[in-house]
């Protein structure tokens, strides 16, 4: 008897499914990763995130058993990279190196983002807490303490320019928060990245910058800049001699903490098992003594959280910076 054609097609389909089942299982979360993992950078080569990313790149690749590729999608205070990753396949092979600015203040600064900083991303793992430090060109501002800095700015409203690594970046927002709390009248000069902003300060185009400790250490040790205060609640081990801004005793600075964090995010709908694997791999790398020394000696504090703990951190961070942006009356169309 001849087998009906629809039965033959069903039989063939069933055989195909059985043949593909082992392949599907091999490509599932348990076998991840099976190819290189790309980390999309939000800021340019030489920036703080790039320095940290390069330190993690090879050790993370060894833990994962696959190469880690750094890819730059720079622009709009990190939004170019975020838009790109928000549209990537949620397979764990495309991640974005975010910050407290890209996943916090940007949501308040930019009214028409093509993505939602919380809904369209999965918080994978924090990496570091990063302190900013008020860095001045002593040839432009001959002051030696944070109080002297404030007194000079208050006596000359609108005279002094401060540099940032771009509109809406952490360096911009740290200064915006400080100016709002103390009522300082300064002119913001955004640059396209960290190296350019530091050059602006060194050339005297701007008097100062609130930049990450790791990005100013070289100039500080060379005597080219002066450090007046770190933005964290506690002093930073790498520059223990530099007081916190809160130690100045100036009203409005008590408990001042405008540090940022660096972290990895994945596109929404990424499998939780893959997210857990990346979190565990990064945690392993951060606990490696050699990596830890490199990061902490540059003024960073390693941060370890589970994906769920980090999700709560991201949400609280977004709410905090929304208030800062509102108080400082800043917006970017």
């Amino acid at each position: 008897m001849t087998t009906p054609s629809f039965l033959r097609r069903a039989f063939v389909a069933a055989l195909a499914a059985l043949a593909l089942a082992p392949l599907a299982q091999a490509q599932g979360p348990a076998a991840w990763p099976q190819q290189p993992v790309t980390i999309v950078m939000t800021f340019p080569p030489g920036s703080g995130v790039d320095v940290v990313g390069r330190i993690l790149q090879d050790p993370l690749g060894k833990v994962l058993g696959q190469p880690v590729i750094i890819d730059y999608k720079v622009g709009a205070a990190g939004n170019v990279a975020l838009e790109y990753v928000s549209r990537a396949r949620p397979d764990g092979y495309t991640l974005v190196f975010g910050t407290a600015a890209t996943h916090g203040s940007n949501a308040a600064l930019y009214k028409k983002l093509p993505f939602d900083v919380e809904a369209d991303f999965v918080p994978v793992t924090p990496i570091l807490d990063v302190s900013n430090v008020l860095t001045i060109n002593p040839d432009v501002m001959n002051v030696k303490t944070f109080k002297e800095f404030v007194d000079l700015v208050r006596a000359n409203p609108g005279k002094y320019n401060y540099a940032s690594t771009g509109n809406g970046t952490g360096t911009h927002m740290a200064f915006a928060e400080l100016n709002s709390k103390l009522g300082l009248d300064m002119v913001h000069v955004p640059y396209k990245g960290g190296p350019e902003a530091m050059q602006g300060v060194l050339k005297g185009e701007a008097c100062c910058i609130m930049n990450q400790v790791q990005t100013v250490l070289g100039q500080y040790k060379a005597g080219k800049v002066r450090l007046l205060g770190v933005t964290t609640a506690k002093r930073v081990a790498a520059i223990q001699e530099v007081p916190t801004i809160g130690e100045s005793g100036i009203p409005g600075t008590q408990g001042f903490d405008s540090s940022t964090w660096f972290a990895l995010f994945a596109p929404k709908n990424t499998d939780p098992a893959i997210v857990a694997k990346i979190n565990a791999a990064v945690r392993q790398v951060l606990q490696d003594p050699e990596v830890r020394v490199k990061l902490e000696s540059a003024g960073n504090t390693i941060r370890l959280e589970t994906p769920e703990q980090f999700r709560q951190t991201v949400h609280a961070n977004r709410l905090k910076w929304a208030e800062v942006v509102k108080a400082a009356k800043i917006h970017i169309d």
Side-chain angles (χ1 to χ4, degrees), residues 76-289:
N79 291 330
V80 171
L82 265 65
E83 181 177 4
Y84 176 82
V85 173
S86 72
R87 297 176 178 177
R89 292 182 61 184
D91 53 14
Y93 292 112
T94 304
L95 309 173
V96 66
F97 203 117
T99 70
T102 64
H103 285 78
S105 55
N106 280 8
L109 289 165
Y110 294 85
K111 302 303 182 185
K112 298 179 181 179
L113 289 176
F115 53 81
D116 186 295
V117 294
E118 289 194 75
D120 290 333
F121 297 91
V122 177
V124 176
T125 181
I127 297 170
L128 299 169
D129 283 324
V130 185
S131 174
N132 289 315
V133 59
L134 177 56
T135 305
I136 68 165
N137 181 331
D139 293 330
V140 178
M141 299 184 87
N142 187 23
V143 296
K144 296 182 178 180
T145 68
F146 179 73
K147 185 178 184 307
E148 290 178 355
F149 169 85
V150 172
D151 289 342
L152 182 61
V153 172
R154 284 176 170 169
N156 298 274
K159 176 180 177 180
Y160 292 103
N161 301 336
Y162 71 90
S164 82
T165 55
N167 282 319
T169 61
T171 55
H172 177 201
M173 298 312 301
F175 235 122
E177 183 177 12
L178 181 71
N179 290 345
S180 177
K181 285 180 176 294
L182 301 185
L184 303 182
D185 181 3
M186 302 185 72
V187 179
H188 175 219
V189 180
Y191 290 79
K192 70 176 184 178
E196 294 83 0
M198 276 305 302
Q199 282 302 308
V201 174
L202 293 173
K203 292 177 181 178
E205 297 170 356
C207 69
C208 49
I209 186 172
M210 199 83 83
N211 213 352
Q212 296 152 15
V213 172
Q214 62 187 355
T215 62
V216 303
L217 277 177
Q219 290 87 350
Y220 172 56
K221 291 178 179 179
K224 296 180 180 180
V225 296
R226 187 173 293 158
L227 308 184
L228 301 185
V230 295
T231 63
T232 40
K234 297 180 180 179
R235 294 195 183 198
V236 175
I239 47 171
Q240 189 65 33
E241 69 278 10
V242 180
T244 69
I245 286 176
E247 288 180 57
S248 68
I250 298 174
T253 64
Q254 290 77 10
F256 184 82
D257 188 348
S258 193
S259 59
T260 188
W261 41 253
F262 294 167
L264 292 180
F265 293 81
K268 68 178 180 181
N269 298 325
T270 301
D271 193 300
I274 293 177
V275 171
K277 274 194 168 187
I278 302 171
N279 182 281
V282 172
R283 183 183 294 257
Q284 182 177 335
V285 170
L286 292 176
Q287 292 175 320
D288 178 86

